Amino acid sequence: MVTTLAVFTRDLRVHDNPMLAAAAHQAESVVPLFVRDTGTRRTLFGSGNRERFLTESLADLDHSLRGLGGRLVVREGDPVEQVCRLADEVGAARVHIAADASAYAQRRQTALRTALAERGRELRCHDEVHVVVAPGRVTPADRDHFAVFSPYHRRWEDTSWRRLVPPPERIRLPKVDPGRLASANADRGTGKSGGFAGGEAEGRQRAELWLRQDVEGYDDRRDLLAEEDGTSRLSPYLHLGCLSVRELATQAGRSDGARAFVRQLAWRDFYYQLLAARPDAAHDDYRPDRSGARDWRDDPEALEAWRTGHTGIPIVDAGMRQLLTDGWLPNRTRLITASLLTKTLGLDWRAGAAHYLEHLVDGDLANNNLNWQWVAGTGTDTRPGRVLNPLRQAERYDPDGTYVRRHVPELAHLKTPEIHQPWRLPAGERRALDYPAPLPSLAAGPRPLRL
Ligand SMILES: Cc1cc2nc3c(=O)[nH]c(=O)nc-3n(C[C@H](O)[C@H](O)[C@H](O)COP(=O)(O)OP(=O)(O)OC[C@H]3O[C@@H](n4cnc5c(N)ncnc54)[C@H](O)[C@@H]3O)c2cc1C
């Protein structure tokens, strides 16, 4: 009997999963496998919020696979070792896996290919599982990746997309120990919910509702911080592949809102193609500054105030507190808080990116670190000098203070415009607030904030 291994990584779904479909199509029996990678779990990638979301998503995947006649087989340890061991055990000639962009994933793929080849087995990598258009499929004439989004986006729209694939009709599992679905450390970390329940079933339900009810208004509402459903909130599901980005891009429709939404999905692909070509950009400046003018300040107190939401700038503190309570925050406050850290306070983007990755339920190396670089001016922004003034951003995107009121309760009783600038209150009222004055170091960075 021909047996294959379908190795899930962050493609935890049965719908439109070319990796699973190919494994099921090419063999009489399939082992759907997930390896809890002890190496990544020791790093930020095992952070509490994502760990909980992952555990729920694995349970949901197991449920779906059971519906097809199989189940999820789980192992814990080094993925290369575990995959090889199981391939030997069930006699699988071929192993299927989704290609991924980070340096770690690329090394894992190479090591797996070599180790399997030594055993006379073959690795099949599927490169359009996490993305709509595979890294390297569209390139400019003179290099291996696009460094500017607009020309990338034009090519991305014009290129053909792979066909959608249905879930396998049936999964036949050989005799194998299924392992433990919940890890010994499944309850590790705080695992904040932020209203996100993991899994493909939940992701598909949310996507269906979003596309039916809200996507049309996306372009007008996406930056309005008072709106809790102005954006899709699908990023955690896309990060772990509970949803197929390819399927979502096709289903979105043609309204202005839908087109703006699909453009954001292209940003996601854009960063993957960049990280795949330049894996070092996860930690090194994408555009190094050879003049030496870019000197990050060392200011532990300001960094801590930023992390905990006590900078004294309400819109920034609201975002940073939402990150701590929900494990998520809207794109607009990601931009505002990241700009304040890097441009106004002059602190290194890596410190901000690491804090985000520790808490975000959608924390994703490509999208997080390359967006941080974009904001910090070290990445792909064609206007790297731009600075977001948090007071103007607050007036524009939270005009009546609803967002600040939601996340900074000690200011909730204030009216606008004071809620965004409490330092302007009469001295007596200001002293009565249990809220800090703006950090003095806001004036020490390269772009002082005038209050
Ligand atoms: C400093 C900073 C850090 C970020 N870190 C992450 C991260 O760790 N993980 C993450 O998924 N996104 C990250 N983003 C991008 C963006 O903020 C989130 O994808 C978005 O806020 C998620 O909410 P949503 O699903 O409602 O997005 P929607 O507005 O509904 O967009 C739909 C999808 O498009 C993609 N998308 C949207 N905007 C971007 C963008 N600027 N770059 C790349 N993809 C995008 C996401 O997959 C998102 O789910 C970051 C942005 C900034 C400025």
Side-chain angles (χ1 to χ4, degrees):
M1 185 159 72
V2 181
T3 301
T4 59
L5 251 57
V7 181
F8 288 92
T9 47
R10 44 193 203 87
D11 49 340
L12 305 182
R13 60 176 187 271
V14 298
H15 291 85
D16 192 45
N17 188 336
M19 183 284 295
L20 177 65
H25 180 69
Q26 290 171 11
E28 288 143 87
S29 76
V30 185
V31 182
L33 170 68
F34 183 80
V35 181
R36 277 188 179 269
D37 184 340
T38 38
T40 54
R41 291 177 70 218
R42 271 194 297 275
T43 68
L44 287 175
F45 286 91
S47 86
N49 294 333
R50 287 195 298 286
E51 189 74 24
R52 180 198 49 75
F53 193 88
L54 170 67
T55 300
E56 291 170 2
S57 301
L58 291 175
D60 182 66
L61 179 62
D62 181 51
H63 180 78
S64 304
L65 290 167
R66 283 172 192 259
L68 299 174
R71 68 184 296 180
L72 188 63
V73 171
V74 180
R75 295 288 182 268
E76 187 151 347
D78 171 63
V80 176
E81 244 174 70
Q82 296 298 327
V83 170
C84 288
R85 190 175 299 169
L86 195 59
D88 288 347
E89 190 183 317
V90 298
R94 200 169 276 167
V95 172
H96 295 261
I97 196 167
D100 209 342
S102 71
Y104 181 81
Q106 292 190 37
R107 276 198 307 275
R108 179 183 60 196
Q109 195 173 307
T110 308
L112 192 54
R113 188 182 300 286
T114 309
L116 287 169
E118 282 164 4
R119 296 164 147 80
R121 307 191 193 287
E122 188 196 350
L123 182 69
R124 274 284 165 92
C125 271
H126 299 267
D127 59 4
E128 281 175 354
V129 182
H130 299 317
V131 286
V132 180
V133 175
R137 192 142 81 79
V138 294
T139 53
D142 56 343
R143 59 199 299 186
D144 61 354
H145 68 283
F146 277 93
V148 177
F149 177 72
S150 302
Y152 172 76
H153 183 223
R154 283 194 291 274
R155 292 282 302 281
W156 185 88
E157 280 192 312
D158 285 348
T159 200
S160 60
W161 293 352
R162 70 161 171 80
R163 280 201 195 162
L164 293 174
V165 293
E169 277 172 19
R170 185 170 153 68
I171 301 274
R172 234 174 89 195
L173 196 68
K175 215 169 165 8
V176 62
D177 170 12
R180 273 168 50 87
L181 187 58
S183 128
N185 286 341
D187 54 354
R188 194 173 98 103
T190 49
K192 316 246 174 45
S193 82
F196 297 101
E200 180 180 15
E202 174 78 17
R204 290 184 75 79
Q205 206 177 338
R206 285 175 179 236
E208 201 255 321
L209 211 64
W210 163 254
L211 295 179
R212 183 154 41 88
Q213 291 184 351
D214 298 307
V215 75
E216 281 190 19
Y218 178 73
D219 211 14
D220 302 326
R221 295 169 62 212
R222 60 200 266 201
D223 281 316
L224 302 180
L225 292 170
E227 307 264 345
E228 290 193 90
D229 53 5
T231 67
S232 69
R233 291 176 166 250
L234 292 174
S235 50
Y237 302 90
L238 289 168
H239 168 66
L240 272 190
C242 302
L243 282 178
S244 152
V245 64
R246 164 73 185 80
E247 190 178 2
L248 197 59
T250 302
Q251 288 175 339
R254 305 295 297 167
S255 65
D256 287 351
R259 292 168 71 96
F261 175 68
V262 172
R263 191 170 191 273
Q264 292 313 110
L265 300 178
W267 268 105
R268 185 176 174 277
D269 272 19
F270 171 70
Y271 285 133
Y272 280 118
Q273 58 94 43
L274 199 150
L275 188 66
R278 287 276 309 274
D280 60 298
H283 39 81
D284 294 336
D285 289 355
Y286 176 68
R287 291 186 201 284
D289 174 26
R290 304 200 195 286
S291 72
R294 192 189 291 145
D295 243 351
W296 302 113
R297 289 172 61 244
D298 184 29
D299 188 342
E301 273 171 44
L303 181 59
E304 191 53 17
W306 178 83
R307 280 192 186 125
T308 56
H310 289 86
T311 64
I313 307 296
I315 193 81
V316 171
D317 293 343
M320 297 311 294
R321 293 186 195 188
Q322 184 182 15
L323 175 63
L324 296 180
T325 51
D326 295 356
W328 189 86
L329 70 171
N331 184 58
R332 181 50 51 185
T333 35
R334 295 187 202 212
L335 291 166
I336 299 170
T337 56
S339 175
L340 187 101
L341 188 82
T342 56
K343 296 269 177 64
T344 311
L345 289 169
L347 302 184
D348 194 334
W349 64 267
R350 279 157 279 248
H355 179 72
Y356 265 36
L357 276 187
E358 189 181 339
H359 295 282
L360 279 175
V361 64
D362 66 7
D364 177 292
L365 197 65
N367 291 332
N368 186 61
N369 291 24
L370 294 173
N371 265 299
W372 268 94
Q373 292 227 43
W374 188 92
V375 179
T378 59
T380 55
D381 188 359
T382 47
R383 284 171 48 211
R386 93 171 84 197
V387 186
L388 299 184
N389 180 314
L391 312 182
R392 260 183 253 132
Q393 293 281 310
E395 271 168 28
R396 188 156 171 202
Y397 299 114
D398 188 28
D400 57 9
T402 306
Y403 180 73
V404 169
R405 248 172 235 114
R406 198 179 291 146
H407 297 288
V408 188
E410 61 270 39
L411 301 180
H413 61 287
L414 297 181
K415 298 195 171 57
T416 44
E418 288 79 16
I419 191 159
H420 289 307
Q421 305 187 33
W423 54 89
R424 289 183 186 268
L425 287 167
E429 279 181 58
R430 204 172 58 222
R431 275 196 298 276
L433 285 179
D434 182 19
Y435 183 74
L439 279 175
S441 27
L442 289 169
R447 306 291 182 78
L449 178 64
R450 272 192 250 289
L451 298 172

